[in-house]
Amino acid sequence: MEVVEAHHYLFGGFMMTKKVVILLLLFLVIAIIVMLKEPKEDGYVQDGVPIEVSSDTESFVSLLFELSEQGQTINSPFIVGETTIQKVHELWGSPEQKSENASAIYEEFPSNDATVGHRAEVVFDIRSSSPEIQQIHLEDIKSIKGEPDEIRSYEDDQVNQTILIYDVTKDIQLKWIMPKPTEEEPNPTVHHISVFTEFEEAVSLSDLSLEEKVGQMIFAGIKGKVMTNETKKIISTDQVGGIILFKDNLKNAKQSVTLLNSIREENSKNKVPLFLGVDEEGGRISRLPELTKLPTNEELGKRNDASLSYNIGKLLGKELSAFGFNLDFAPVLDINSNPDNPIIGDRAFGTDAQIVSELGLQTMDGIQSEQVISVVKHFPGHGDTAVDSHKELPIIQKSLKDLQTLELIPFTRAIEHGAEVVMIGHILLPKIDSIYPASISEKIITDVLREQLDYEGIIITDDMTMKAILNTFEISEAAVSAVKAGNDIVLVAHDYANIKKTKEAILHAIETGEITEQRIDESVKRILAIKKKYNLSNKQLDGVNIQELNRSINETLGR
């Protein structure tokens, strides 16, 4: 539903684009602005005679169109359909005025000559009335860009406006709002412009069937480097909530973006956007192709530079976002307390709980700063294991009190700091639960993580197809136990048969009363909330600029 076109607020604002090509164009703006301030006979038809549009005006109008294709306007870092209103407040402060209608909120920032419209916390309309824009005439726009796709009118007791609407992409419109032409002024100047996008309202719990809700609780792996019939079934038939990709799925940058685009396209038939996740920790755990390798966490721990860890996290978020992912299974918050550990090692920031905590939180913050969800792992701590959980079940003979003096410290700090997703490791702790590994243990997940640590975010299992689980449990039994224990999401990274069995087993457990639908709703509410917060969508990507990403990596690392 489109917002009523009441375009007579305070508008405008200088903008800066994130796209490199647009950044280069912005260097032209200052020169153009200066020249635009000089009186000129801008091009339009006068007395039936065509007047040539000045090159300065043409360049400026063309720039505004190019920026709008990216969802932006001049002199602001905000992007319609992506930027949250919280980000606007961080950079511009509180609005001077705020107005609200049935479907949206508009906030006015006079010092930036701008008004920002948002709904569900996401910016969808940026209106700009900078003095330079207000020197552009109606016929300038038509002469440079042709007739608009649509012309509308808006009139109330204060204004009588004409609105030229250009569909600059399939999702974004550039609107030019000006006084309605009259005999006295047939060629009015623009009052303001609006860069506008429609986006779907977030889905609520009541919109989903039971099968769809259970699907949201499954994070699935797929086979191959291209869209297959099996992957289509996982997305469209089983309607899973997330897809994880591994190195085997990602050959090069172009193929990776194409695969992720095809996944989003297939999911566009569903009600809820997908989590698109990958293990990208830096060091040896790196899945994304063609990128300069980042240092291991162990190396970062030795440097013990909080600012560097934040910037590394920011790079990880930037990399994932550029490829089209929205969730990173990182950082590792395990403490590498056992030198014989075959699985953690240099993935940990070190052996000191305070260093692991500080650098881990900085990395988490950096990832989140790029609008990518961060998953901290592997609760309650995988650092003191002597076997690889991919191959067998690790056993740690520690009590809860023992864990509280070391392993739990980074996770406790992360929860206090606002961690949003926690992954549970496949570790047996007989002194706490002698039967179930942590990943499917109610004593560890509900009693310790939820109740003692007061964690309210999302809980996800490690991959349930690892031998640590399947050597002892059937996948169906393990999946049901995982939900009963308190997990919100079950990660099933391999084999379509396992994905099917997982969903069927959970549905059967609900049917028999072993799991209540209320329990399912608790998890799905959390899942929908974080997808809304991070504005997940099925939006397609044009491609990834590997050279720019590698330049940023080398710059951060001082190379």
Side-chain angles (χ1 to χ4, degrees), residues 304 306 331 333 335 352-365 368 376 379-380 403-404 406-420 422 449 452-455:
N304 194 17
L333 293 188
I335 299 168
D352 182 275
Q354 299 308 319
I355 290 176
V356 171
S357 299
E358 178 62 23
L359 302 188
L361 296 193
Q362 290 296 326
T363 304
M364 180 182 81
D365 286 347
Q368 292 172 337
V376 299
F379 186 90
L403 295 178
Q404 288 169 338
L406 188 67
E407 283 87 352
L408 289 182
I409 293 172
F411 292 100
T412 302
R413 287 274 309 278
I415 290 165
E416 292 170 350
H417 193 71
E420 295 172 313
V422 173
L449 182 54
Q452 293 190 33
L453 298 185
D454 198 26
Y455 177 63

Side-chain angles (χ1 to χ4, degrees), residues 120-221:
E121 301 298 313
V122 179
V123 172
F124 71 94
D125 188 1
I126 303 174
R127 303 176 176 183
S128 174
S129 64
S130 68
E132 298 72 37
I133 286 173
Q134 293 182 336
Q135 293 185 43
I136 298 169
H137 287 265
L138 166 65
E139 293 301 331
D140 293 339
I141 305 162
K142 290 184 177 181
S143 297
I144 296 165
K145 289 296 180 180
E147 291 295 321
D149 294 288
E150 185 181 353
I151 299 177
R152 294 182 194 165
S153 297
Y154 178 82
E155 183 176 0
D156 62 15
D157 57 357
Q158 298 180 52
V159 297
N160 187 3
Q161 297 171 326
T162 289
I163 305 165
L164 307 186
I165 303 174
Y166 290 83
D167 297 326
V168 293
T169 72
K170 66 185 182 70
D171 299 313
I172 298 172
Q173 294 178 331
L174 175 59
K175 304 179 184 181
W176 300 81
I177 298 89
M178 63 199 70
K180 188 173 183 177
T182 62
E183 286 187 10
E184 295 75 19
E185 183 47 83
N187 188 34
T189 55
V190 174
H191 180 264
H192 68 278
I193 64 172
S194 165
V195 179
F196 178 93
T197 187
E198 285 280 14
F199 67 96
E200 295 182 5
E201 296 285 353
V203 174
S204 66
L205 195 65
S206 61
D207 296 322
L208 301 179
S209 68
L210 178 59
E211 288 76 11
E212 288 171 324
K213 288 190 286 190
V214 172
Q216 285 299 305
M217 296 177 66
I218 299 172
F219 214 120

Side-chain angles (χ1 to χ4, degrees), residues 68-325:
S68 68
E69 289 174 8
Q70 310 300 323
Q72 299 179 285
T73 187
I74 55 168
N75 307 323
S76 163
F78 311 135
I79 301 175
V80 293
E82 294 185 17
T83 301
T84 63
I85 193 62
Q86 291 91 340
K87 192 68 174 179
V88 176
H89 294 160
E90 285 176 18
L91 296 181
W92 281 2
S94 300
E96 286 200 16
Q97 282 190 305
K98 183 187 292 188
S99 59
E100 186 170 354
N101 59 33
S103 62
I105 298 172
Y106 277 87
E107 300 189 4
E108 301 177 18
F109 299 88
S111 61
N112 299 92
D113 298 319
T115 289
V116 176
H118 61 93
R119 64 165 74 100
E121 301 298 313
V122 179
V123 172
F124 71 94
D125 188 1
I126 303 174
R127 303 176 176 183
S128 174
S129 64
S130 68
E132 298 72 37
I133 286 173
Q134 293 182 336
Q135 293 185 43
I136 298 169
H137 287 265
L138 166 65
E139 293 301 331
D140 293 339
I141 305 162
K142 290 184 177 181
S143 297
I144 296 165
K145 289 296 180 180
E147 291 295 321
D149 294 288
E150 185 181 353
I151 299 177
R152 294 182 194 165
S153 297
Y154 178 82
E155 183 176 0
D156 62 15
D157 57 357
Q158 298 180 52
V159 297
N160 187 3
Q161 297 171 326
T162 289
I163 305 165
L164 307 186
I165 303 174
Y166 290 83
D167 297 326
V168 293
T169 72
K170 66 185 182 70
D171 299 313
I172 298 172
Q173 294 178 331
L174 175 59
K175 304 179 184 181
W176 300 81
I177 298 89
M178 63 199 70
K180 188 173 183 177
T182 62
E183 286 187 10
E184 295 75 19
E185 183 47 83
N187 188 34
T189 55
V190 174
H191 180 264
H192 68 278
I193 64 172
S194 165
V195 179
F196 178 93
T197 187
E198 285 280 14
F199 67 96
E200 295 182 5
E201 296 285 353
V203 174
S204 66
L205 195 65
S206 61
D207 296 322
L208 301 179
S209 68
L210 178 59
E211 288 76 11
E212 288 171 324
K213 288 190 286 190
V214 172
Q216 285 299 305
M217 296 177 66
I218 299 172
F219 214 120
I222 63 172
K223 291 179 182 176
K225 298 178 176 67
V226 297
M227 177 62 68
T228 64
N229 287 333
E230 182 177 283
T231 299
K232 288 182 179 180
K233 287 179 184 178
I234 291 170
I235 296 169
S236 295
T237 304
D238 300 300
Q239 296 181 305
V240 298
I243 297 288
I244 182 172
L245 298 185
F246 293 92
K247 210 171 191 68
D248 289 345
N249 302 116
L250 306 170
K251 180 181 179 181
N252 56 50
K254 183 178 180 181
Q255 170 271 329
S256 300
V257 172
T258 300
L259 175 59
L260 285 161
N261 275 340
S262 65
I263 289 170
R264 278 188 291 268
E265 178 62 29
E266 184 66 26
N267 191 68
S268 63
K269 306 166 189 174
N270 294 333
K271 297 173 185 174
V272 186
L274 285 164
F275 291 121
L276 295 171
V278 67
D279 290 298
E280 193 70 20
E281 303 172 8
R284 60 188 165 97
I285 306 300
S286 178
R287 317 296 193 201
L288 303 185
E290 299 187 46
L291 292 176
T292 300
K293 294 296 182 187
L294 294 171
T296 65
N297 288 338
E298 182 179 54
E299 293 175 72
L300 294 175
K302 289 176 180 176
R303 294 182 66 168
N304 194 17
D305 182 335
S307 177
L308 176 61
S309 289
Y310 175 84
N311 289 331
I312 292 292
K314 196 169 183 65
L315 281 176
L316 290 170
K318 192 175 292 186
E319 291 173 2
L320 265 69
S321 181
F323 272 77
F325 291 97

